[in-house]
Amino acid sequence: MSMNNTPLAERIHIGIFGRRNAGKSSIINALTGQDLAIVSDIKGTTTDPVLKAMELLPLGPVVMIDTPGLDDEGELGLLRIQKAYQMLNKTDIAILVVDGTVGMTDADTAIFTRIQEKQIPCLVVLNKADLAACTGTEGSALHALPKEQIIRASAQDGTNIEGLKERLAHLIPAEDTARRIVGDLINPGDLVVLVVPIDKSAPKGRLILPQQQTIRDILERGAVSVVTRDTELDDTLKSLGRAPALVITDSQAFGQVAKIVPENVPLTSFSILFARYKGSLHTVVEGAKALESLADGDTVLISEGCTHHRQCEDIGTVKLPGWIRNHTGKSIKFAFTSGTEFPSDLSKYSLVIHCGGCTLNEREMKYRLCCAKDAGIPITNYGTAIAYMKGILKRSVEVFPSLHPGCVRTDRSL
C-alpha cells in the first residue's frame, strides 16, 4: 500500500500544541513545506483542531493536527482549549511549541504534564530561535527534561527544521509486524469468503474501509479472497469446489450467514476482526454479557468513529436498537455519537456499543475503552453484540486461538 493510500487510522498522528502566537501553525508549515495552516499575528487564528493527512519524510504517512492556543480566553476560548486537549486522545507523537522569547508558561506546563500522564512521546520546540532575545530555558519542566527532548528551531528562517524532522522520526513507535487483521489466521493458497451485503446503506461504487483493508491483508498473505453478497452466498459456497478456510461477514448479515455456512467452516465478522486488531477483543466479548442485565429505562450509548449520511435502515440508529429491544424485551433508551465526539462522562449509560473503529487510530480506540473501564461501564462493539444476540458468539471467536476459552462462554446458546 502506497503512502498516499494509507488509511488515516494507520498513519502516525502528530499533534502540535502550545499557546496562542507561539508559532504552532508556522512550525507545521515549516515541517511540511506547505501552507497547510493559516498564519497570522492575531491571537487565536486557529480556532478548531485541523487534521491533515500527508507524507512527511523521513517519517512517511502521517496526520498533522494543528490545535487552538491553550491560553485562549472567554467561554468560547475554554471550549477551544477543551477541543485541543481532546486531540491528545488520538496523538501518537506530540510537539509542544514554546515561544522561545518568553519561555515555559503555566499553560505550557499544564499541557506538557498531561502529555506525560498519557505517556505520549513528546518534543519541546523552542520556537523563534532567530530572535536574539530567545532564552526559552525558563520553567522547571524544561530543566527536568533530557536535552534530546528539547530542540531550538525557527519557523521563520528554517533553523533546525530538518533536525526536528529527524528527532520526530526517532520517536515513531516500532512497527508491530505481528499485528494483522486476518493474515495470521490463514495460510497461502487458502480461500477466504467475504460476505458484503449491498443495500441502501452501502456506499455507491466502493467497498467500505474494513472490507478494503481485510482484502488487502488476505492478498498480502498469498491467499485468495472471494467477495459475495449474502443473497448469493449459498451458491458461491457450492461453486468453490473446496471449503473456505474462513468466512468473514458484515455484522448485520450475521444471523443469515451463520445458517448458510457449515458448522465446520470458521466464521467471524469484520467488526470482530477489527476488535482484535485494535486490541479490544477480550473487552468487547466480556462487554456483550451486559445485554442480559439491561433493565427498563436503561440508556445504551451507540457510538461510531466516522460520520456518514444516515439511511432509513441504518445499522447503528435503527437496526441495533431494534435488535436490542427485541432481545431484552425491555424498554431501553438509546443515545448516539459519531466522529470525534465521545462523552467524557459515561455514568448515565448502562452499556456502550461501539462500531469497529476502522477510522480511529489505535490510541483513540484504546482511550475510549479506558474511559468505559474507568467509569465501570461495559463496552462492546457492533459485531460482537450482534453475534451474542444471534447466539453465535462462541463460534465467531473460536477462530482466535489466543482468546482465553472461558471468555467465549457468553451467549445463551452455550
Side-chain angles (χ1 to χ4, degrees):
M1 184 176 292
S2 71
M3 289 193 289
N4 282 331
N5 294 326
T6 303
L8 292 181
E10 300 300 307
R11 293 171 177 256
I12 296 295
H13 284 54
I14 302 175
I16 317 292
F17 302 91
R19 295 180 296 110
R20 292 174 296 170
N21 276 16
K24 300 184 300 299
S25 298
S26 296
I27 287 290
I28 285 183
N29 290 345
L31 278 172
T32 62
Q34 304 176 39
D35 292 332
L36 294 183
I38 298 174
V39 176
S40 170
D41 290 333
I42 300 174
K43 285 188 175 182
T45 301
T46 302
T47 58
D48 292 288
V50 178
L51 284 73
K52 176 67 176 179
M54 63 173 303
E55 296 176 22
L56 182 62
L57 298 177
L59 287 83
V62 301
V63 174
M64 303 296 294
I65 308 173
D66 193 11
T67 62
L70 296 169
D71 59 340
D72 213 333
E73 301 169 338
E75 185 175 345
L76 186 57
L78 291 176
L79 291 175
R80 291 170 178 167
I81 293 172
Q82 183 180 16
K83 286 286 186 182
Y85 271 90
Q86 286 178 351
M87 287 298 104
L88 284 174
N89 301 326
K90 61 170 75 241
T91 296
D92 296 305
I93 298 174
I95 297 176
L96 175 58
V97 180
V98 174
D99 185 337
T101 65
V102 176
M104 200 86 161
T105 67
D106 289 344
D108 295 317
T109 302
I111 186 64
F112 181 73
T113 300
R114 186 75 65 88
I115 291 169
Q116 286 186 311
E117 290 173 348
K118 289 182 173 289
Q119 298 182 328
I120 301 171
C122 177
L123 281 178
V124 177
V125 177
L126 298 177
N127 192 26
K128 307 182 183 180
D130 55 301
L131 300 180
C134 180
T135 58
T137 57
E138 301 171 17
S140 59
L142 280 179
H143 286 304
L145 291 181
K147 291 183 179 179
E148 59 269 19
Q149 198 171 355
I150 305 172
I151 184 169
R152 292 182 181 275
S154 170
Q156 181 67 30
D157 65 9
T159 300
N160 255 348
I161 295 301
E162 290 302 317
L164 175 56
K165 292 182 184 180
E166 294 293 338
R167 293 269 193 98
L168 289 173
H170 284 95
L171 293 181
I172 294 179
E175 183 180 359
D176 184 359
T177 55
R179 183 169 168 260
R180 302 290 295 272
I181 297 171
V182 69
D184 59 320
L185 304 175
I186 56 178
N187 296 308
D190 279 348
L191 282 175
V192 182
V193 175
L194 291 80
V195 184
V196 180
I198 301 296
D199 54 22
K200 290 182 179 180
S201 62
K204 296 293 184 182
R206 62 182 175 88
L207 299 175
I208 62 175
L209 184 59
Q211 296 160 0
Q212 297 175 38
Q213 290 181 267
T214 303
I215 291 173
R216 177 61 186 248
D217 201 37
I218 292 169
L219 294 177
E220 289 182 348
R221 181 59 171 150
V224 178
S225 61
V226 177
V227 184
T228 183
R229 297 186 298 182
D230 51 326
T231 48
E232 284 79 45
L233 175 60
D234 194 17
D235 289 338
T236 299
L237 293 176
K238 291 175 182 177
S239 67
L240 289 178
R242 58 185 168 113
L246 179 64
V247 175
I248 306 168
T249 181
D250 185 277
S251 298
Q252 58 187 309
F254 232 146
Q256 177 186 349
V257 171
K259 294 176 182 178
I260 296 173
V261 178
E263 286 289 337
N264 64 324
V265 174
L267 169 67
T268 192
S269 75
F270 293 103
S271 188
I272 291 175
L273 281 175
F274 271 81
R276 184 185 74 126
Y277 185 62
K278 304 271 183 188
S280 62
L281 182 57
H282 185 276
T283 299
V284 299
V285 168
E286 285 293 313
K289 296 177 182 179
L291 286 163
E292 297 306 320
S293 59
L294 293 176
D296 289 331
D298 282 350
T299 301
V300 173
L301 173 66
I302 297 181
S303 184
E304 293 189 348
C306 62
T307 56
H308 60 271
H309 178 68
R310 305 287 185 184
Q311 302 289 337
C312 59
E313 290 299 316
D314 179 68
I315 185 172
T317 57
V318 178
K319 292 181 179 179
L320 261 177
W323 289 331
I324 292 170
R325 289 189 178 108
N326 182 65
H327 177 81
T328 62
K330 306 295 183 180
S331 178
I332 307 296
K333 300 175 183 178
F334 293 91
F336 307 93
T337 65
S338 61
T340 59
E341 298 301 321
F342 190 76
S344 56
D345 181 10
L346 296 174
S347 60
K348 67 180 74 172
Y349 307 113
S350 300
L351 173 65
V352 177
I353 303 182
H354 206 286
C355 69
C358 64
T359 62
L360 303 178
N361 64 349
E362 186 178 7
R363 179 173 286 275
E364 182 164 9
M365 196 66 231
K366 286 183 176 179
Y367 161 76
R368 296 185 180 198
L369 292 169
C370 286
C371 283
K373 180 180 178 181
D374 292 345
I377 307 300
I379 184 169
T380 188
N381 72 8
Y382 286 17
T384 310
I386 294 169
Y388 179 93
M389 290 186 285
K390 299 294 183 183
I392 54 176
L393 181 55
K394 182 176 184 295
R395 181 184 179 186
S396 303
V397 297
E398 282 178 336
V399 67
F400 308 112
S402 61
L403 193 65
H404 190 277
C407 76
V408 302
R409 300 189 61 80
T410 55
D411 58 36
R412 297 189 297 184
S413 66
L414 301 179

